[in-house]
Amino acid sequence: RYMYFWLPGARQHEDEIVQTYRRAAEMANGLHPRHVIGSSVFVNLACFYAECKRDNDMAISVCKDGKVWGTRHSDRVPTAGEIFGFTLLERNLEALESQLALLELSFDEDELQ
């Protein structure tokens, strides 16, 4: 299996990329929950926002939308690939929502006495 994504080098196409992924996400609503194509659309759009646009809030929002999409009711048993793709979406959401703060403290020994 191969995954293709379209990401032109020129920054002036950002809106077109977002529109393309948004249309794909809308079309994913016609697929059963956790369908591999639908999960990959949400994962790729979230990655685009996080890595290319540096907009973690939108990336988190996309992951949350994907999670809602993937947890819709279905009597269908998901395949291993569907479970993997949806788990990737959930892990990306966890990573995007986590914050790491590094704090360095230094004290002047003379002022502590």
Side-chain angles (χ1 to χ4, degrees):
R1 292 185 181 174
Y2 296 94
M3 181 183 300
Y4 297 97
F5 15 156
W6 173 65
L7 191 62
R11 304 270 305 173
Q12 70 264 20
H13 295 288
E14 288 180 2
D15 291 337
E16 191 175 348
I17 294 168
V18 169
Q19 289 174 6
T20 300
Y21 276 124
R22 288 286 178 195
R23 281 194 307 270
E26 288 174 20
M27 293 169 67
N29 286 322
L31 303 171
H32 62 266
R34 299 185 185 201
H35 191 286
V36 175
I37 293 172
S39 292
S40 66
V41 166
F42 288 103
V43 167
N44 290 340
L45 180 55
C47 286
F48 174 75
Y49 275 118
E51 296 176 4
C52 298
K53 293 188 71 80
R54 302 288 189 237
D55 189 344
N56 278 6
D57 292 336
M58 279 303 298
I60 289 169
S61 176
V62 168
C63 286
K64 286 180 178 179
D65 290 347
K67 196 168 178 181
V68 168
W69 166 83
T71 54
R72 294 175 297 156
H73 174 73
S74 176
D75 294 330
R76 192 179 167 285
V77 177
T79 66
E82 291 168 348
I83 292 170
F84 175 79
F86 192 73
T87 301
L88 176 62
L89 178 69
E90 291 177 316
R91 296 295 177 264
N92 285 357
L93 177 58
E94 290 172 9
L96 289 165
E97 287 183 326
S98 67
Q99 298 286 328
L100 177 63
L102 298 177
L103 181 63
E104 180 182 342
L105 298 175
S106 62
F107 299 97
D108 185 12
E109 186 178 335
D110 294 335
E111 292 179 14
L112 291 175
Q113 295 178 354

